Amino acid sequence: MAGQIPDLECQERAGTGKGAARAARRAGMVPGVVFGGDADPLAIQIPFNVLLKKLKAGRFKSTLFNLKVEGQEDVRVICRDVQRDVVKDLPTHFDLLRLRRTTRINLFVPVEFVNEDEAPGIKRGGVLTVVRPEVELMVTAGEIPEKITVDLTGLAIGDVVTISSVDLPGGAKPTIDRDFVIANISAPSGLASSDDEDGEGEGEEAETEAAAEE
């Protein structure tokens, strides 16, 4: 199950329609609507600066939130749309979708790497290069994994960790069909440079030998 689902604190908004929305904006708020989940739509609003900060943080439209509105029961929601001013590109309205526990959604889940001390490649000075610190998965709203765990035990320099080699939580599925790379253990820069120099030396010797034969 997921760990802490972030709260999204909003206020219930009085009235609907363009007039009420304009009034909310004049008060420094961004109007929004919560819909779905076999319940009536709920008009809400959130302080402009709060929403802007969350948007700048990224992943706002792919994060599961626990919506808190005074006088209403908490509900899990995901953003379905953020409308912006065509000139200033600032948020003017947002739509949230209520989720049932069985609803399938796409979310980014962080990757945790364990047992680095059991990886021969790292013991030899190899470097763990993380290609994807988080992976987008299709999951059910009621069974969201807190993280994906990658066990580095036994991995050597040059080994690659792909999504197919990772045990995913039950019911979770990558949104990308191909077998993409999550991380790899690369050679230390000193060793890599040495290998390159050796290769160049061999090339020069071969060229010298070829010239001599001619």
Side-chain angles (χ1 to χ4, degrees), residues 149-174:
T149 301
V150 173
D151 190 347
L152 301 175
T153 300
L155 296 186
I157 291 175
D159 283 349
V160 176
V161 179
T162 62
I163 190 64
S164 64
S165 64
V166 177
D167 291 329
L168 296 178
K173 179 182 178 182

Short mmCIF file of all heavy atoms in Angstrom, two decimals, residues 149-174:
data_model
loop_
_atom_site.label_atom_id
_atom_site.label_comp_id
_atom_site.label_asym_id
_atom_site.label_seq_id
_atom_site.Cartn_x
_atom_site.Cartn_y
_atom_site.Cartn_z
N THR A 149 11.18 -1.58 -5.36
CA THR A 149 12.47 -1.93 -4.77
C THR A 149 13.32 -2.71 -5.77
O THR A 149 12.88 -3.70 -6.34
CB THR A 149 12.29 -2.77 -3.50
OG1 THR A 149 11.51 -2.02 -2.55
CG2 THR A 149 13.63 -3.11 -2.88
N VAL A 150 14.55 -2.24 -5.99
CA VAL A 150 15.50 -2.90 -6.87
C VAL A 150 16.62 -3.47 -6.02
O VAL A 150 17.33 -2.72 -5.34
CB VAL A 150 16.07 -1.93 -7.92
CG1 VAL A 150 17.17 -2.60 -8.73
CG2 VAL A 150 14.97 -1.44 -8.85
N ASP A 151 16.80 -4.79 -6.07
CA ASP A 151 17.85 -5.47 -5.31
C ASP A 151 19.12 -5.55 -6.16
O ASP A 151 19.13 -6.15 -7.24
CB ASP A 151 17.39 -6.88 -4.93
CG ASP A 151 18.31 -7.55 -3.93
OD1 ASP A 151 19.44 -7.04 -3.71
OD2 ASP A 151 17.93 -8.59 -3.37
N LEU A 152 20.20 -4.94 -5.68
CA LEU A 152 21.45 -4.88 -6.44
C LEU A 152 22.38 -6.06 -6.15
O LEU A 152 23.49 -6.13 -6.69
CB LEU A 152 22.19 -3.57 -6.13
CG LEU A 152 21.41 -2.28 -6.45
CD1 LEU A 152 22.21 -1.08 -5.96
CD2 LEU A 152 21.14 -2.18 -7.94
N THR A 153 21.94 -7.01 -5.35
CA THR A 153 22.77 -8.16 -4.98
C THR A 153 23.29 -8.90 -6.21
O THR A 153 22.52 -9.25 -7.11
CB THR A 153 21.97 -9.14 -4.11
OG1 THR A 153 21.54 -8.48 -2.91
CG2 THR A 153 22.81 -10.35 -3.73
N GLY A 154 24.60 -9.10 -6.26
CA GLY A 154 25.20 -9.89 -7.33
C GLY A 154 25.49 -9.14 -8.62
O GLY A 154 26.04 -9.72 -9.56
N LEU A 155 25.14 -7.88 -8.71
CA LEU A 155 25.34 -7.15 -9.96
C LEU A 155 26.79 -6.73 -10.13
O LEU A 155 27.43 -6.26 -9.20
CB LEU A 155 24.43 -5.93 -10.02
CG LEU A 155 22.92 -6.21 -10.05
CD1 LEU A 155 22.15 -4.91 -10.27
CD2 LEU A 155 22.57 -7.22 -11.14
N ALA A 156 27.30 -6.90 -11.36
CA ALA A 156 28.69 -6.58 -11.67
C ALA A 156 28.76 -5.33 -12.54
O ALA A 156 27.74 -4.82 -13.01
CB ALA A 156 29.35 -7.76 -12.39
N ILE A 157 29.98 -4.85 -12.77
CA ILE A 157 30.17 -3.70 -13.65
C ILE A 157 29.67 -4.06 -15.05
O ILE A 157 29.99 -5.12 -15.58
CB ILE A 157 31.66 -3.29 -13.71
CG1 ILE A 157 32.09 -2.70 -12.35
CG2 ILE A 157 31.91 -2.28 -14.82
CD1 ILE A 157 33.57 -2.37 -12.27
N GLY A 158 28.87 -3.18 -15.61
CA GLY A 158 28.30 -3.44 -16.93
C GLY A 158 26.89 -4.02 -16.88
O GLY A 158 26.21 -4.04 -17.91
N ASP A 159 26.46 -4.49 -15.72
CA ASP A 159 25.10 -5.04 -15.61
C ASP A 159 24.06 -3.93 -15.69
O ASP A 159 24.28 -2.81 -15.23
CB ASP A 159 24.93 -5.80 -14.30
CG ASP A 159 25.59 -7.18 -14.35
OD1 ASP A 159 25.98 -7.59 -15.47
OD2 ASP A 159 25.70 -7.83 -13.29
N VAL A 160 22.91 -4.27 -16.26
CA VAL A 160 21.83 -3.31 -16.45
C VAL A 160 20.56 -3.83 -15.77
O VAL A 160 20.25 -5.02 -15.86
CB VAL A 160 21.55 -3.09 -17.96
CG1 VAL A 160 20.36 -2.17 -18.16
CG2 VAL A 160 22.78 -2.51 -18.64
N VAL A 161 19.86 -2.94 -15.09
CA VAL A 161 18.58 -3.28 -14.47
C VAL A 161 17.45 -2.75 -15.35
O VAL A 161 17.37 -1.54 -15.58
CB VAL A 161 18.45 -2.67 -13.05
CG1 VAL A 161 17.10 -3.03 -12.44
CG2 VAL A 161 19.58 -3.15 -12.16
N THR A 162 16.62 -3.65 -15.86
CA THR A 162 15.48 -3.23 -16.67
C THR A 162 14.19 -3.49 -15.90
O THR A 162 14.19 -4.21 -14.89
CB THR A 162 15.44 -3.99 -18.01
OG1 THR A 162 15.29 -5.39 -17.74
CG2 THR A 162 16.72 -3.76 -18.80
N ILE A 163 13.10 -2.95 -16.37
CA ILE A 163 11.82 -3.08 -15.67
C ILE A 163 11.38 -4.54 -15.58
O ILE A 163 10.74 -4.93 -14.61
CB ILE A 163 10.73 -2.21 -16.35
CG1 ILE A 163 9.47 -2.16 -15.48
CG2 ILE A 163 10.43 -2.72 -17.74
CD1 ILE A 163 9.65 -1.49 -14.13
N SER A 164 11.77 -5.36 -16.55
CA SER A 164 11.35 -6.77 -16.54
C SER A 164 12.05 -7.57 -15.44
O SER A 164 11.59 -8.64 -15.06
CB SER A 164 11.63 -7.42 -17.90
OG SER A 164 13.02 -7.45 -18.17
N SER A 165 13.17 -7.04 -14.92
CA SER A 165 13.91 -7.75 -13.88
C SER A 165 13.48 -7.34 -12.48
O SER A 165 14.05 -7.81 -11.49
CB SER A 165 15.42 -7.50 -14.05
OG SER A 165 15.72 -6.12 -13.87
N VAL A 166 12.49 -6.47 -12.40
CA VAL A 166 12.02 -5.98 -11.11
C VAL A 166 10.67 -6.60 -10.76
O VAL A 166 9.80 -6.73 -11.62
CB VAL A 166 11.88 -4.44 -11.14
CG1 VAL A 166 11.34 -3.91 -9.82
CG2 VAL A 166 13.22 -3.79 -11.46
N ASP A 167 10.52 -7.01 -9.50
CA ASP A 167 9.24 -7.53 -9.02
C ASP A 167 8.31 -6.36 -8.72
O ASP A 167 8.53 -5.62 -7.75
CB ASP A 167 9.43 -8.40 -7.77
CG ASP A 167 10.16 -9.70 -8.07
OD1 ASP A 167 10.00 -10.20 -9.20
OD2 ASP A 167 10.89 -10.19 -7.18
N LEU A 168 7.28 -6.21 -9.53
CA LEU A 168 6.32 -5.14 -9.32
C LEU A 168 5.22 -5.58 -8.36
O LEU A 168 4.89 -6.77 -8.29
CB LEU A 168 5.70 -4.71 -10.66
CG LEU A 168 6.66 -4.11 -11.68
CD1 LEU A 168 5.91 -3.79 -12.97
CD2 LEU A 168 7.33 -2.85 -11.14
N PRO A 169 4.63 -4.63 -7.63
CA PRO A 169 3.51 -4.96 -6.74
C PRO A 169 2.35 -5.56 -7.54
O PRO A 169 2.18 -5.29 -8.73
CB PRO A 169 3.13 -3.61 -6.13
CG PRO A 169 4.34 -2.75 -6.31
CD PRO A 169 4.98 -3.21 -7.58
N GLY A 170 1.56 -6.38 -6.89
CA GLY A 170 0.44 -7.03 -7.54
C GLY A 170 -0.51 -6.02 -8.17
O GLY A 170 -0.88 -5.03 -7.55
N GLY A 171 -0.86 -6.26 -9.43
CA GLY A 171 -1.81 -5.39 -10.12
C GLY A 171 -1.18 -4.19 -10.79
O GLY A 171 -1.84 -3.50 -11.55
N ALA A 172 0.11 -3.94 -10.51
CA ALA A 172 0.80 -2.79 -11.11
C ALA A 172 1.39 -3.18 -12.46
O ALA A 172 1.91 -4.28 -12.62
CB ALA A 172 1.89 -2.27 -10.19
N LYS A 173 1.32 -2.26 -13.41
CA LYS A 173 1.83 -2.53 -14.76
C LYS A 173 2.48 -1.26 -15.31
O LYS A 173 1.92 -0.17 -15.19
CB LYS A 173 0.67 -2.96 -15.67
CG LYS A 173 1.09 -3.23 -17.11
CD LYS A 173 -0.12 -3.61 -17.95
CE LYS A 173 0.27 -3.85 -19.40
NZ LYS A 173 -0.91 -4.17 -20.24
N PRO A 174 3.67 -1.38 -15.91
CA PRO A 174 4.31 -0.20 -16.50
C PRO A 174 3.45 0.38 -17.62
O PRO A 174 2.77 -0.35 -18.35
CB PRO A 174 5.64 -0.74 -17.04
CG PRO A 174 5.85 -2.03 -16.33
CD PRO A 174 4.49 -2.59 -16.06
#
